[in-house]
Amino acid sequence: MTQLGYKLICEEHGPTDLTQYATLADQSTFEFAMISDHFHPWTSTQGESPFVWNVIGAIAQATDDLRLGTSITCPIIRYHPGLIAQAAATAGVQLPGQFFLGVGTGENLSEHVFGDRWPPHAIRLEMLREAVDLIRTLWEGETTSYRGEYYTVENARLYTLPDELPPIPIAADGPKTARTAGEIGDGLVAVAPDEELVEAFEDGGGEDKPRYAEVDVCYAEDEQEAIETAHEIWPQAALPGELLWELATPAHFQQATEAVSEGDIADLVVCGPDPDAHIETIQEYVDAGFDHIAIHQIGSNQADFIEFYEEEVIPEID
């Protein structure tokens, strides 16, 4: 069975709105939620970027049954993995049995901000492997001294631990990282309906693990209005190649997206009120092998979007 989830985007919304939207999702038929973890928004037009761990605490108090995970936390540069081990353990206590820690190798946009070098992807993947190992080690609850190639902790112990440790799905946009996710992770996270990613994940050992995907949409009663909203707020969706991971500032993204047209976005993002178009796009991910699909509604029209999906989209997804 495919589960549809709701994506909370910190780059677009402030902490109070995110908490309100999480409450709406909790009261809806969406089965889980995922929340982004950025220092910067992609572009200044998006206009927000609250500290996600504060927001998770607020969501934990405002919701009853919402299953929530980060998508994606990068625990290798801006954050020390020991800090993320503590943050995620606390979130696991606040959301018992409902929290998962989605991790990945990150983007230069948010990870260079404290003066650290932005390494090549192969190095970041090595760092991620070590970071996940350190997080799991600290979650054992013992006093730990850890001296790896990239990270050190001395006499560290986590005293606040949940009864059920959070799963750690891993984001991938290429087969090598997908195989690593299958090997060391508790799930896969991707943003494209790529069967090869799923196959590599399964080859790495992920056959029986969940496969998460994220899908951008923009619901509005008028299709052109939706296209204009998506183009204004989420133009980086149309950037090619590795620019998403390599550009350093919102100003760079603003410059890079000047050539992105409304037509470019309309080709990539489902826009408007036609439920069949939304269902068809989701089905592409289902057919590629994803069983958990989080929907990101671009813009502020969140309550109407949730109502639209509850009434016309979710019932049609097997």
Side-chain angles (χ1 to χ4, degrees):
M1 290 290 292
T2 303
Q3 293 188 15
L4 285 194
Y6 176 74
K7 183 67 187 283
L8 295 153
I9 296 287
C10 290
E11 304 94 289
E12 290 184 52
H13 310 293
T16 301
D17 286 341
L18 289 165
T19 304
Q20 177 186 349
Y21 299 152
T23 302
L24 292 176
D26 185 38
Q27 295 167 352
S28 76
T29 54
F30 281 110
E31 297 188 67
F32 67 96
M34 302 174 85
I35 187 167
S36 60
D37 183 352
H38 272 230
F39 190 90
H40 287 143
W42 300 99
T43 69
S44 296
T45 303
Q46 291 164 4
E48 293 284 355
S49 198
F51 186 55
V52 70
W53 298 98
N54 288 34
V55 179
I56 289 170
I59 290 172
Q61 294 301 305
T63 59
D64 295 320
D65 302 310
L66 186 67
R67 184 166 176 262
L68 176 67
T70 55
S71 181
I72 294 294
T73 289
C74 177
I76 63 173
I77 300 177
R78 171 172 50 115
Y79 294 130
H80 190 286
L83 179 63
I84 293 303
Q86 184 183 31
T90 299
V93 172
Q94 294 173 302
L95 292 159
Q98 299 164 232
F99 180 73
F100 58 95
L101 174 65
V103 299
T105 55
E107 302 99 14
N108 194 16
L109 174 70
S110 289
E111 301 308 318
H112 79 283
V113 293
F114 299 129
D116 296 286
R117 171 176 172 261
W118 177 241
H121 180 265
I123 301 299
R124 301 200 312 274
L125 188 57
E126 292 177 4
M127 296 170 74
L128 182 64
R129 182 184 289 272
E130 186 173 303
V132 170
D133 181 62
L134 175 53
I135 290 167
R136 295 195 193 279
T137 299
L138 288 169
W139 282 354
E140 293 174 3
E142 304 294 332
T143 300
T144 299
S145 292
Y146 185 106
R147 293 175 179 84
E149 183 175 355
Y150 301 103
Y151 306 108
T152 299
V153 298
E154 294 185 359
N155 305 319
R157 178 181 173 185
L158 296 181
Y159 283 84
T160 300
L161 287 166
D163 293 333
E164 182 178 338
L165 293 173
I168 306 179
I170 293 176
D173 69 342
K176 183 176 181 180
T177 308
R179 281 191 293 271
T180 300
E183 180 185 347
I184 69 170
D186 299 313
L188 171 70
V189 184
V191 294
D194 189 338
E195 293 182 27
E196 292 184 1
L197 287 183
V198 174
E199 291 171 0
F201 174 65
E202 292 177 345
D203 289 343
E207 295 92 340
D208 299 321
K209 299 174 183 178
R211 299 170 297 279
Y212 293 87
E214 298 180 12
V215 180
D216 299 325
V217 307
C218 189
Y219 165 76
E221 291 187 3
D222 178 77
E223 181 180 0
Q224 182 58 36
E225 176 188 346
I227 292 171
E228 292 172 1
T229 297
H231 179 253
E232 177 185 4
I233 297 176
W234 209 247
Q236 81 281 353
L239 291 181
E242 298 180 4
L243 290 180
L244 284 177
W245 326 124
E246 299 299 334
L247 294 181
T249 69
H252 290 157
F253 276 94
Q254 204 78 41
Q255 294 166 15
T257 56
E258 286 179 359
V260 173
S261 69
E262 290 184 0
D264 294 331
I265 292 298
D267 287 341
L268 293 169
V269 176
V270 181
C271 293
D274 180 4
D276 290 338
H278 291 257
I279 293 164
E280 181 180 343
T281 295
I282 292 167
Q283 191 61 46
E284 291 179 11
Y285 288 81
V286 175
D287 292 343
F290 293 93
D291 52 16
H292 292 70
I293 301 171
I295 311 299
H296 162 215
Q297 161 68 1
I298 300 167
S300 60
N301 192 19
Q302 300 293 317
D304 289 344
F305 157 76
I306 289 175
E307 181 179 355
F308 166 67
Y309 259 65
E310 279 199 292
E311 293 180 355
E312 300 196 52
V313 178
I314 294 176
E316 302 303 320
I317 303 299
D318 295 328

